[in-house]
Amino acid sequence: MGGGARPFPYVSYLRVYEPLDAFSDSQQLAILEQRGRERELTEAIEHEQSLRRILRTVSDPFPHHEPDLVRVTHFPSLNGTTAPYYCPNQLAVRTTLAAESLDQSLRGPLIDVLVPDVAREAHQARLDPDTFADSVAKLHTRSATWGVPFAWFALIHEDDLTEVVEDDGRVSTVRITARIGDCIDRGRRSVAQLAIGAPEMDLLDELTEIVEWLEVFRRDAVVEVDYGPVADRVFPDDSPMDVRLGIESLAEADMMGAAASYRRLASRWIPIRQLARAS
């Protein structure tokens, strides 16, 4: 996209990428067909597909027989060479889960307008029950609207591999990538510190659940925090450090330090989240 208005809402992603041999034979074939495609082209294809779904004359948010996209990232392997890692989009599964979540949060006729029963039934008929169950058990992508969840920042460090993508003078996104083992270790450390210093915080439950999710994947995978277009409003961003310092302060009963970290985070992210309620 050029320098015009950004699409709303802002969406950020937490993705797990694995080596080719972590996937089934059929998944590997799909990956090999797409592995030479540039990342920005993949993003453009996904954006175009989402616009087509939004602009349908009949309300139907589900994908229709679209080939699943695969993202490719390159990261230094343990032997020092740069290796490709792959993240399947699993869009059909993620839209199913999103519809179920929406069904639990909305009541009345609005849910039927947004996700009509006929669209749900047609989508279910298109799903392969076997691959659907496998994908739910090993979902490679999580998303969040109107900001990056603080729990995600606990997984990454300011020294991790960072890619800043710019377009016509704007920051299109920032992607921070780290080895999954490091992310799990950081998450576990934060969970232990929060259990001591702030066991009542929702952040403790969120981090515990994320660590359990990461443990499903192979230890040679990598994790990516993709800010999405919200990066243009916050980057350069000290949130990973502020979250880490805040959690450490709570574990040490340093309420002043924890409050200072939270003020820095709040000044950065509350204005973003307020956009969700803007007219």
Side-chain angles (χ1 to χ4, degrees):
M1 294 182 62
R6 291 292 180 179
F8 285 88
Y10 291 132
V11 183
S12 303
Y13 298 92
L14 179 64
R15 299 188 179 99
V16 176
Y17 292 75
E18 293 187 285
L20 184 63
D21 63 359
F23 299 92
S24 67
D25 291 344
S26 60
Q27 287 175 311
Q28 289 187 34
L29 289 174
I31 288 171
L32 291 174
E33 291 176 355
Q34 301 185 50
R35 66 176 177 177
R37 187 174 57 221
E38 292 293 329
R39 175 68 178 269
E40 301 316 310
L41 179 56
T42 298
E43 304 298 342
I45 293 172
E46 182 177 56
H47 180 70
E48 181 183 356
Q49 290 176 347
S50 66
L51 283 178
R52 284 205 303 267
R53 291 193 298 273
I54 292 171
L55 296 175
R56 284 174 181 154
T57 55
V58 177
S59 182
D60 182 351
F62 297 104
H64 291 189
H65 306 293
E66 297 166 356
D68 196 40
L69 296 174
V70 177
R71 284 175 173 80
V72 185
T73 194
H74 293 81
F75 193 83
S77 62
L78 295 177
N79 63 13
T81 61
T82 300
Y85 296 82
Y86 306 95
C87 177
N89 206 26
Q90 297 170 297
L91 183 62
V93 177
R94 292 196 293 116
T95 53
T96 302
L97 298 178
E100 292 175 356
S101 176
L102 193 64
D103 198 22
Q104 295 172 4
S105 60
L106 291 179
R107 293 292 182 269
L110 182 57
I111 185 64
D112 295 326
V113 173
L114 295 174
V115 191
D117 285 340
V118 64
R120 290 175 187 253
E121 293 168 2
H123 179 63
Q124 288 297 321
R126 290 190 294 267
L127 293 174
D128 182 328
D130 295 330
T131 58
F132 178 82
D134 292 341
S135 294
V136 170
K138 196 177 183 184
L139 202 64
H140 285 71
T141 302
R142 293 181 170 218
S143 61
T145 53
W146 303 111
V148 180
F150 291 168
W152 296 7
F153 289 127
L155 306 176
I156 56 178
H157 191 278
E158 56 270 19
D159 294 333
D160 288 334
L161 182 65
T162 301
E163 177 189 13
V164 180
V165 182
E166 296 183 276
D167 178 17
D168 196 20
R170 289 176 176 266
V171 179
S172 299
T173 189
V174 172
R175 300 176 187 129
I176 302 177
T177 311
R179 290 187 175 87
I180 196 170
D182 292 337
C183 294
I184 290 173
D185 289 344
R186 294 164 181 168
R188 287 173 176 168
R189 186 181 308 115
S190 294
V191 165
Q193 291 170 328
L194 286 169
I196 294 171
E200 74 286 351
M201 285 188 68
D202 291 340
L203 184 60
L204 174 58
D205 294 333
E206 293 167 13
L207 261 175
T208 299
E209 197 270 332
I210 286 177
V211 170
E212 291 173 351
W213 169 63
L214 292 177
E215 289 173 339
V216 171
F217 299 92
R218 287 178 21 168
R219 289 303 180 268
D220 53 356
V222 298
V223 176
E224 174 190 86
V225 174
D226 184 347
Y227 279 62
V230 76
D232 192 53
R233 287 181 172 265
V234 300
F235 194 78
D237 180 33
D238 293 326
S239 295
M241 181 173 62
D242 288 334
V243 169
R244 184 174 68 254
L245 293 177
I247 292 173
E248 290 174 355
S249 296
L250 288 170
E252 295 167 1
D254 176 9
M255 295 301 107
M256 290 185 63
S261 294
Y262 178 76
R263 282 196 299 271
R264 291 192 296 270
L265 288 163
S267 66
R268 193 176 302 128
W269 291 103
I270 286 180
I272 303 295
R273 289 166 183 168
Q274 287 174 337
L275 292 174
R277 296 186 293 275
S279 60

